[in-house]
Amino acid sequence: MALTTLERGVHHITTDFAEGIIQNAAGKMKANKFVSVSTYGAAINAFTILSGLLLKGESCDDFCVVLNGDEYRTPESKTERINKSLTGEDEKVKRLRGVARNKVLQFNLPEGHNPESYVHYLLCSDLINDLKDEETEIIEAAKKIKYVKDGHKYIDQVIDELGINRAVALNNIISLVSKHPEWNDFMTSIVDWMTPRVEALKEK
């Protein structure tokens, strides 16, 4: 991870699937050149990385971590995890805990969903209009997937059904599902965090 990217734009650490979602949001803002995305694996790693940066004194004004939204869903669970990563009772640590709480974002998911299963649900909902032929193909592929034991595998199954390159498929799927009327709600916290920072960077 290149920390120098913090100096030139909004920097997110997130997961593989979420990376494409955030890049899609940045693209709609015409702000891809300002947004740098890195992956961190398991959700617990987000708190460790964020805490380490803050303790080192890194400038994290334009930095956040994005959780999938199926773990550490509540403010209380996030605070508990932050307290375990930033231990101690001195004033510096107490201040950094407050900073950290504002740096942990998540996708807005219905109870019982992870991003992959939710995107699959949206694809199958028949609420996306004005479809192109290639978009209809994605929806038809999604509807063939009735049940996956591991909910994180729904999009993998759709990609397998499409039989095309994963990166291309992810881009096409995310571009399509971002037209769904529920998408803005799903993206609320991330877009609200990005918007003023991107606008400030554009003005420089």
Side-chain angles (χ1 to χ4, degrees), residues 3 51-58 92 96:
L3 297 181
S51 298
L53 292 174
L54 291 172
L55 287 169
K56 283 175 62 179
E58 295 286 350
K92 176 184 176 181
L96 292 180

Short mmCIF file of all heavy atoms in Angstrom, two decimals, residues 3 51-58 92 96:
data_model
loop_
_atom_site.label_atom_id
_atom_site.label_comp_id
_atom_site.label_asym_id
_atom_site.label_seq_id
_atom_site.Cartn_x
_atom_site.Cartn_y
_atom_site.Cartn_z
N LEU A 3 1.39 4.82 0.86
CA LEU A 3 0.79 5.84 1.69
C LEU A 3 0.87 7.22 1.05
O LEU A 3 0.11 8.11 1.41
CB LEU A 3 1.46 5.87 3.07
CG LEU A 3 1.30 4.59 3.88
CD1 LEU A 3 1.99 4.74 5.23
CD2 LEU A 3 -0.16 4.23 4.09
N SER A 51 -5.85 1.99 12.67
CA SER A 51 -5.22 2.33 13.95
C SER A 51 -3.73 2.57 13.79
O SER A 51 -3.17 3.51 14.37
CB SER A 51 -5.47 1.21 14.96
OG SER A 51 -6.85 1.05 15.20
N GLY A 52 -3.07 1.73 12.99
CA GLY A 52 -1.64 1.88 12.76
C GLY A 52 -1.30 3.21 12.10
O GLY A 52 -0.34 3.88 12.50
N LEU A 53 -2.09 3.59 11.11
CA LEU A 53 -1.85 4.86 10.44
C LEU A 53 -2.03 6.04 11.38
O LEU A 53 -1.22 6.98 11.38
CB LEU A 53 -2.80 5.00 9.24
CG LEU A 53 -2.57 4.05 8.07
CD1 LEU A 53 -3.68 4.21 7.04
CD2 LEU A 53 -1.22 4.29 7.43
N LEU A 54 -3.07 5.99 12.17
CA LEU A 54 -3.33 7.09 13.11
C LEU A 54 -2.23 7.19 14.16
O LEU A 54 -1.77 8.30 14.49
CB LEU A 54 -4.69 6.90 13.78
CG LEU A 54 -5.90 7.07 12.86
CD1 LEU A 54 -7.19 6.66 13.57
CD2 LEU A 54 -6.02 8.51 12.37
N LEU A 55 -1.79 6.06 14.68
CA LEU A 55 -0.74 6.06 15.69
C LEU A 55 0.59 6.56 15.14
O LEU A 55 1.39 7.16 15.85
CB LEU A 55 -0.57 4.66 16.28
CG LEU A 55 -1.68 4.19 17.23
CD1 LEU A 55 -1.54 2.71 17.53
CD2 LEU A 55 -1.66 5.00 18.53
N LYS A 56 0.83 6.31 13.85
CA LYS A 56 2.06 6.79 13.21
C LYS A 56 2.00 8.29 12.92
O LYS A 56 3.00 8.89 12.54
CB LYS A 56 2.28 6.05 11.88
CG LYS A 56 2.81 4.64 12.04
CD LYS A 56 2.89 3.93 10.70
CE LYS A 56 3.85 4.63 9.76
NZ LYS A 56 3.96 3.93 8.45
N GLY A 57 0.82 8.88 13.09
CA GLY A 57 0.67 10.30 12.82
C GLY A 57 0.44 10.63 11.37
O GLY A 57 0.61 11.78 10.96
N GLU A 58 0.03 9.64 10.57
CA GLU A 58 -0.25 9.89 9.16
C GLU A 58 -1.47 10.83 9.04
O GLU A 58 -2.40 10.78 9.82
CB GLU A 58 -0.56 8.58 8.43
CG GLU A 58 0.59 7.61 8.36
CD GLU A 58 1.65 8.03 7.37
OE1 GLU A 58 1.41 8.98 6.61
OE2 GLU A 58 2.73 7.42 7.38
N LYS A 92 -4.09 11.18 23.89
CA LYS A 92 -3.84 10.99 22.46
C LYS A 92 -4.67 9.82 21.92
O LYS A 92 -5.32 9.94 20.88
CB LYS A 92 -2.36 10.73 22.19
CG LYS A 92 -2.07 10.43 20.72
CD LYS A 92 -0.60 10.07 20.49
CE LYS A 92 -0.37 9.69 19.03
NZ LYS A 92 1.03 9.32 18.77
N LEU A 96 -7.67 9.75 19.14
CA LEU A 96 -7.57 8.95 17.92
C LEU A 96 -8.75 8.00 17.78
O LEU A 96 -9.19 7.70 16.67
CB LEU A 96 -6.26 8.17 17.91
CG LEU A 96 -4.98 9.01 17.76
CD1 LEU A 96 -3.76 8.12 17.75
CD2 LEU A 96 -5.03 9.86 16.50
#
